[in-house]
Amino acid sequence: PSEAPLKGKRIVITSGPTHEAIDPVRYIANRSSGRQGHAIAAAAAQAGADVTLVSGPVSIPDPKGVKVVRVESAREMQAAVEQSLPCDVAIMAAAVADWRVASDAAKKIKKDGSGKVPALQFVENPDILAGVGNHTRLRPRLVIGFAAETHDLIENAQGKLKRKGADWIVANDVSPENNVMGGTENTVRIVTADGVEDWPKMGKEAVAEQLVARIANRLSQD
Ligand code: C5P
């Protein structure tokens, strides 16, 4: 195998959480660190790909040799991904917030002293992976999603594969005892139309390298 198996390939990767504003000073977020998505971006760049990493707010450094587009909300992430198409491979590893606050207040919500508490209303965010996977004009050759679940991992991943138009789903069990969210290791299962491949527990960098090798192998078959 060549040292730059992804040379000439354009890869778009999402990583990290999104922040959904409640008002100018508050937001809703999740525990994603961005480690897995960033490691995939680094490994893909190392393999010679032209990588755009669309990253939510994270506290880890930018990977080397990668174009980084920083966003906060799911809607900003979607716009940045749309702008980075066309590409050969899309890897949607971000933990996108499923919902945003319906009325993101222009002013800080204040306590009024009456003891009344605000009630937040939510609306559904756009599904970025589904938008890319079901894209009528610019669907990449290979679309890869993630599924972080605490139960019914494979059934849920297979559902996502179909619904979101993905070719592969990288499924992982994020039950708190596995310490995946924010941790440095991951145990993943690759779910495709052909079946399920179980990978042993390894560091997120190793998962990234194996995934990049699987991608290079897949692209070489077209
Ligand atoms: O449905 P669920 O959030 O579990 O799906 C996870 C997969 O879908 C991940 O690949 C994630 O990046 C992607 N996703 C997305 N936009 C959303 C929600 C999830 O791209 N709004």
Side-chain angles (χ1 to χ4, degrees), residues 14 92-94 96-98 125-129 145-147 149 160 164:
T14 65
M92 305 286 97
V96 183
D98 290 315
N125 266 329
D127 192 307
I128 303 166
L129 171 60
F146 276 68
E149 304 287 354
K160 269 168 219 178
K164 303 195 185 211

Side-chain angles (χ1 to χ4, degrees), residues 35-207:
R35 282 205 185 99
Q36 187 62 77
H38 278 53
I40 295 166
Q46 187 70 39
D50 171 0
V51 180
T52 299
L53 175 64
V54 180
S55 176
V58 297
S59 59
I60 57 174
D62 288 352
K64 278 203 206 88
V66 165
K67 179 187 173 198
V68 182
V69 181
R70 285 184 195 74
V71 298
E72 291 204 349
S73 67
R75 286 192 295 179
E76 288 170 14
M77 185 172 277
Q78 182 189 43
V81 166
E82 269 286 330
Q83 274 182 22
S84 53
L85 300 180
C87 65
D88 298 288
V89 183
I91 308 170
M92 305 286 97
V96 183
D98 290 315
W99 306 282
R100 66 175 181 275
V101 179
S103 60
D104 153 19
K107 290 185 178 162
K108 185 181 171 191
I109 303 168
K110 302 288 286 180
K111 277 190 296 221
D112 66 4
S114 72
K116 252 179 48 190
V117 296
L120 295 179
Q121 305 267 15
F122 292 91
V123 291
E124 202 167 315
N125 266 329
D127 192 307
I128 303 166
L129 171 60
V132 171
N134 296 316
H135 209 294
T136 47
R137 285 177 305 117
L138 298 174
R139 189 188 187 280
R141 286 154 74 187
L142 188 56
V143 176
I144 304 172
F146 276 68
E149 304 287 354
T150 54
H151 56 273
D152 300 329
L153 187 63
I154 298 303
E155 291 81 352
N156 279 314
Q158 283 164 339
K160 269 168 219 178
L161 199 65
K162 290 210 182 71
R163 210 167 49 247
K164 303 195 185 211
D167 299 296
W168 306 349
I169 293 284
V170 181
N172 56 13
D173 185 336
V174 292
S175 297
E177 63 272 21
N178 294 335
N179 192 31
V180 171
M181 290 293 266
T184 58
E185 291 191 308
N186 210 349
T187 311
V188 306
R189 311 176 76 182
I190 310 294
V191 181
T192 72
D194 301 330
V196 182
E197 200 176 289
D198 286 340
W199 289 5
K201 181 175 187 167
M202 53 187 134
K204 288 182 178 176
E205 284 76 15
V207 170

